[in-house]
Amino acid sequence: MEDDPFADLKVDSQSFLDVMDGRTSCPKCGKSRKYYCYTCYVPVVGIEHKIPKVKLPFKIDIIKHPSECDGKSTSGHARVIAPDDVTIYTYPCIPDYLDRDRVVLLFPGDGSINMAALAEKFSPPSYNNKKEDKSKVDSGSCVAQTDELYPYCKRSPSNGDQHTCTEVYNDILSSPDRESVVDHEHDQTSTESLCDSTSLANTDITCQKNENSASKKRKHLVDNKEVKRSKLMTENTKRLEVKPPFDKVIIIDSTWNQTKRISSDERLRGLTCLELKTRHSNFWRHQKDLPPTYLSTIEAIYYFVRDYHDIFLASEKYDGRYDNLLFFFTFMYNKIKNMYDGGKNLKAYRQRVEKSKSKV
């Protein structure tokens, strides 16, 4: 086992778990449990307010195989820490998903894609590649066109119910002639007005006053234009993000040899399948002949949410808000590593080392 694979995570203190002596009763069923009840999915009496809670950006349904050992499964971690967003069902119980287009299945397979590919699939097309009539881009049509061109664009919180039109606005402003044309027309108008005033007044004093007035007015208009532009750019330069095309994620909780029965269920057929290929498991539970990319349930949930944030909310720097999903997992990892003299002799660890050496 690695020395400290979770050093960069922002996980709450687990010291109170270390000092817990013996078992405690579950507040619901009354059964003796250690840290939380793996049938009721609640913390034991006395530590209810010490367990961190995490709010997820979407709902998760975990379909658990009936043969999966409740005490060893990590799906309970997610339910205890994110109780408002995670629901666990025991197969063959699977909910009816009416809006199947808004549901994805996290499961590796022939037709599975990663999160980046999903985002690219629903990315808004480049506006510059669209030969739109610029005359239609006004305050009224801009919103309508955005709704049509960018059906998955995230709505701008600063503009109420309107979409941000960053690319449309930048396309207009980026014209190399726009500034010179506007300023030239404005200067010409001001000059003509100034000449008319000079000829009528026929005095240097009046001309000077009008010139100063026109200069100040022109400067005010230019400054006001820059202020408005700066304000508009501030509101609209927020990244035009892709709205995730799903509201719910289904995750299968079982040994990998048992997943086929659930994944092939007709009630899950036709769903978009996503996969995690770049993450390696730190799970201590041995599963024979499986690659290190096959994650435990709680690892899969955590890395899926992280990928979601990094890809769909790229303008928001990740601040560790989901790290506590691994609260129990990291605690148990360190506990087992200490119990087994670093954990290097565990079957799961030895298998990963052998597989990594064979690839070299």
Side-chain angles (χ1 to χ4, degrees):
M1 301 174 76
E2 299 179 41
D3 290 337
D4 195 1
F6 312 108
D8 296 334
L9 300 187
K10 296 180 179 180
V11 178
D12 289 4
S13 173
Q14 302 152 333
S15 58
F16 67 95
L17 297 177
D18 281 320
V19 298
M20 290 183 64
D21 186 18
R23 294 174 172 268
T24 312
S25 299
C26 169
K28 286 190 174 182
C29 65
K31 293 181 180 179
S32 177
R33 301 291 189 234
K34 184 64 175 177
Y35 305 114
Y36 66 92
C37 180
Y38 46 76
T39 53
C40 301
Y41 306 115
V42 293
V44 297
V45 175
I47 64 169
E48 304 94 329
H49 304 295
K50 298 179 180 180
I51 302 297
K53 293 292 184 289
V54 173
K55 178 63 180 175
L56 301 182
F58 43 73
K59 302 299 182 181
I60 294 178
D61 283 352
I62 299 175
I63 311 299
K64 188 168 67 71
H65 194 279
S67 299
E68 183 70 3
C69 180
D70 293 336
K72 294 182 179 180
S73 172
T74 62
S75 61
H77 300 184
R79 173 64 177 166
V80 173
I81 295 173
D84 295 334
D85 301 311
V86 176
T87 307
I88 299 178
Y89 300 91
T90 301
Y91 188 79
C93 180
I94 296 178
D96 292 329
Y97 299 109
L98 300 179
D99 191 359
R100 294 172 63 86
D101 291 336
R102 303 292 300 171
V103 181
V104 296
L105 174 65
L106 180 58
F107 186 78
D110 295 336
S112 300
I113 59 176
N114 59 28
M115 191 83 73
L118 182 70
E120 184 178 355
K121 181 179 178 181
F122 287 95
S123 293
S126 174
Y127 188 83
N128 292 330
N129 293 332
K130 296 287 184 180
K131 296 181 179 179
E132 298 291 339
D133 184 1
K134 296 266 178 75
S135 63
K136 296 181 181 179
V137 184
D138 53 29
S139 59
S141 63
C142 184
V143 177
Q145 289 186 30
T146 306
D147 284 333
E148 180 181 358
L149 294 176
Y150 308 130
Y152 290 100
C153 289
K154 187 176 181 180
R155 294 185 181 273
S156 169
S158 61
N159 293 333
D161 197 40
Q162 292 185 352
H163 291 288
T164 56
C165 300
T166 309
E167 292 182 312
V168 178
Y169 177 74
N170 288 340
D171 189 66
I172 298 173
L173 288 187
S174 62
S175 173
D177 300 327
R178 183 182 184 279
E179 290 287 338
S180 58
V181 170
V182 173
D183 292 341
H184 176 72
E185 291 176 353
H186 179 73
D187 291 342
Q188 186 176 0
T189 302
S190 300
T191 303
E192 292 174 354
S193 177
L194 181 60
C195 290
D196 291 341
S197 299
T198 303
S199 61
L200 290 174
N202 199 25
T203 62
D204 293 339
I205 297 176
T206 305
C207 181
Q208 184 66 34
K209 286 183 179 180
N210 288 337
E211 183 178 3
N212 290 339
S213 177
S215 178
K216 289 181 180 180
K217 185 176 181 180
R218 182 166 63 249
K219 185 177 185 302
H220 173 73
L221 291 173
V222 172
D223 291 343
N224 191 42
K225 180 179 68 175
E226 292 298 328
V227 170
K228 288 182 178 180
R229 177 189 300 175
S230 176
K231 183 177 179 181
L232 184 60
M233 290 295 289
T234 301
E235 293 175 350
N236 290 311
T237 50
K238 296 178 181 179
R239 179 175 297 194
L240 195 61
E241 295 173 343
V242 182
K243 183 178 179 181
F246 62 87
D247 303 310
K248 181 164 290 188
V249 181
I250 301 174
I251 296 178
I252 299 174
D253 179 28
S254 69
T255 62
W256 284 101
N257 293 329
Q258 299 169 337
T259 56
K260 187 174 181 181
R261 179 183 174 187
I262 301 178
S263 62
S264 60
D265 191 289
E266 60 180 7
R267 290 169 290 180
L268 300 181
R269 291 177 186 173
L271 295 177
T272 299
C273 290
L274 301 181
E275 61 182 350
L276 301 169
K277 280 187 173 181
T278 60
R279 310 291 190 173
H280 286 190
S281 176
N282 285 295
F283 197 27
W284 51 89
R285 185 178 175 184
H286 173 65
Q287 296 195 58
K288 187 178 179 180
D289 299 329
L290 293 178
T293 54
Y294 279 45
L295 309 173
S296 65
T297 302
I298 191 62
E299 287 177 300
I301 293 174
Y302 171 72
Y303 289 123
F304 185 88
V305 176
R306 280 298 312 271
D307 285 354
Y308 170 93
H309 184 93
D310 293 341
I311 293 174
F312 287 106
L313 302 176
S315 61
E316 297 182 24
K317 184 178 179 180
Y318 181 68
D319 54 5
R321 67 187 68 178
Y322 305 123
D323 290 357
N324 272 322
L325 284 171
L326 297 178
F327 179 80
F328 287 115
F329 187 86
T330 55
F331 173 76
M332 292 303 300
Y333 180 91
N334 292 321
K335 193 176 185 67
I336 290 174
K337 186 183 69 173
N338 293 332
M339 288 175 59
Y340 291 93
D341 192 24
K344 293 184 179 180
N345 292 321
L346 291 175
K347 287 184 178 181
Y349 179 84
R350 290 206 313 267
Q351 177 185 319
R352 290 169 196 152
V353 172
E354 291 171 359
K355 283 187 175 294
S356 62
K357 289 181 178 179
S358 64
K359 290 182 178 180
V360 177

